[in-house]
Amino acid sequence: MTTDTPARLLQLLSLLQTPREWPGGELADRLGVSRRTVRRDVDRLRELGYPVQATRGTDGGYRLVAGKAMPPLVLDDEEAVAIAVGLRAGAGHAIEGVDEAAVRALAKLEQVLPSRLRHRVSTLQAATTPLTLGDGPTIAPETLTVMASTVAGHERLRFAYRDKDGSASRRLTEPHRLVSTGRRWYLVAYDVDRADWRTFRVDRVSDPFATGVRFAPREPPTGSAAEYLRQSIHRRQETYAFEVRFAAPAEQVAARVPAWVGVPEDDGTGGCVLRGTTGDPMEWLAVRLAMTGVEFTVRGPGGLVECVRRLGDRLTRAANAGPEGAQGAGGPSAPQVP
């Protein structure tokens, strides 16, 4: 019998978070208490904001249902490890849809993970290799969690930073937001030493350190961290607009093109058109378009048309470069993915 009321409440909550209805007698047996004690404990959970629904009758029982607010969760060891591994995998690559909220969740979870579970998470991650699109650099999840913690706690952050040209510096910042573009993570922060706002590519950050010094939050000049980042990237890059027609429906093309490249639209003829603006090198965009595996025609700009033409010529020469490249259908084939 569990005589410690808080411990018993946590045990009861853990049982109720299993998606099923629990008869009162079964809960009483599991907890080693009377049915009356179970009813009192259920009332305590309700007072704490947990929406426990009761059904009457001989087969009646208790079930945790959706409420108006998100109450704290109780996870067992396996659940905590599974969630931490999933969040780490998403945070390490700037995957679309894995935004700052997911990184904050990872920071909170890893803060309270026992050392034995933290070791299991690290061991499992080290033993696995994610298969991703590879469009962006990988980042140590610990870097993101430190940053997310300082953002949430309004705590000054110090780190080493490597600029685009390779020059190194030490930065003291008041972090505002982490922003994912789908390829990279960026930190939008107020640079204390330079007395101005800056954006930092997180894959160029090393040795992040939470100083423990609190600060009063500021608002970026644009009012939005995402908008400030967009304008900052635009100022640093020469962008160009492009238009490409694919001989396939928009749904098929959208599944093979990252959303940050653009959103294809059906053109009413069985194909679709992709329009966008980017500052990425045209050679890179030409390769990305070819990787869709769909027939396409570049309508502009002329520089991109020329890049696609050169890429096609290069690949043709590579295929016809000698006996090894001219084996045709009888040569060795690439490994098949089931």
Side-chain angles (χ1 to χ4, degrees):
M1 174 178 177
T2 305
T3 58
D4 184 353
T5 300
R8 191 175 66 247
L9 286 176
L10 287 175
Q11 186 179 354
L12 173 59
L13 180 58
S14 179
L15 292 171
L16 290 174
Q17 285 177 343
T18 302
R20 55 162 289 194
E21 185 169 290
W22 289 87
E26 186 175 350
L27 286 176
D29 292 340
R30 289 286 193 106
L31 299 174
V33 297
S34 67
R35 294 193 180 200
R36 183 179 179 183
T37 300
V38 169
R39 289 194 295 270
R40 286 202 302 264
D41 287 348
V42 167
D43 289 337
R44 291 190 181 100
L45 289 179
R46 288 170 176 161
E47 291 173 1
L48 293 172
Y50 292 93
V52 182
Q53 184 183 75
T55 56
R56 298 183 180 277
T58 56
D59 294 329
Y62 301 94
R63 176 192 296 272
L64 194 64
V65 297
K68 295 182 179 179
M70 180 69 186
L73 296 176
V74 177
L75 303 174
D76 62 28
D77 286 3
E78 299 302 324
E79 292 166 342
V81 169
I83 292 174
V85 169
L87 289 173
R88 274 189 167 208
H93 303 264
I95 299 174
E96 185 179 358
V98 180
D99 55 13
E100 185 192 349
V103 177
R104 289 201 310 270
L106 176 60
K108 291 178 181 178
L109 182 58
E110 293 206 335
Q111 182 179 359
V112 297
L113 275 181
S115 59
R116 57 187 174 80
L117 296 187
R118 191 176 294 111
H119 176 70
R120 284 178 59 185
V121 171
S122 299
T123 300
L124 181 57
Q125 187 178 32
T128 59
T129 301
L131 180 60
T132 64
L133 293 177
D135 289 335
T138 58
I139 302 166
E142 294 81 1
T143 298
L144 285 170
T145 54
V146 169
M147 289 183 168
S149 297
T150 57
V151 168
H154 307 307
E155 185 178 351
R156 285 187 172 181
L157 176 71
R158 189 184 298 277
F159 53 84
Y161 192 67
R162 174 178 48 82
D163 289 330
K164 183 178 181 180
D165 60 5
S167 59
S169 61
R170 296 287 300 180
R171 302 298 183 99
L172 178 62
T173 64
E174 295 177 355
H176 178 69
R177 286 287 185 275
L178 281 165
V179 182
S180 170
T181 64
R183 291 178 63 202
R184 297 187 178 98
W185 283 103
Y186 289 86
L187 174 69
V188 176
Y190 184 82
D191 192 314
V192 175
D193 295 328
R194 291 158 179 77
D196 199 2
W197 287 88
R198 292 288 190 273
T199 60
F200 302 95
R201 271 181 48 175
V202 177
D203 59 291
R204 294 176 179 168
V205 169
S206 59
D207 302 322
F209 174 72
T211 64
V213 178
R214 306 284 180 176
F215 64 88
R218 310 169 188 258
E219 285 296 322
T222 60
S224 163
E227 178 61 20
Y228 183 80
L229 175 63
R230 188 192 68 80
Q231 294 185 15
S232 176
I233 293 176
H234 183 75
R235 285 193 301 268
R236 293 197 300 262
Q237 292 181 330
E238 289 187 6
T239 60
Y240 59 92
F242 63 89
E243 180 175 330
V244 180
R245 184 190 181 278
F246 289 91
E251 182 180 2
Q252 178 181 341
V253 175
R256 304 184 182 190
V257 176
W260 47 263
V261 173
V263 179
E265 299 177 358
D266 285 317
D267 61 5
T269 65
C272 66
V273 176
L274 176 67
R275 300 181 181 90
T277 301
T278 182
D280 289 312
M282 289 186 181
E283 292 82 359
W284 181 92
L285 182 57
V287 172
R288 198 66 187 79
L289 294 173
M291 287 174 61
T292 62
V294 177
E295 295 291 330
F296 66 91
T297 303
V298 178
R299 294 177 173 176
L304 181 57
V305 174
E306 182 59 29
C307 284
V308 170
R309 181 180 294 115
R310 288 200 301 267
L311 175 63
D313 292 343
R314 189 177 308 125
L315 294 176
T316 300
R317 289 195 299 272
N320 298 326
E324 294 81 2
Q327 296 178 30
S333 59
Q336 299 299 305
V337 179

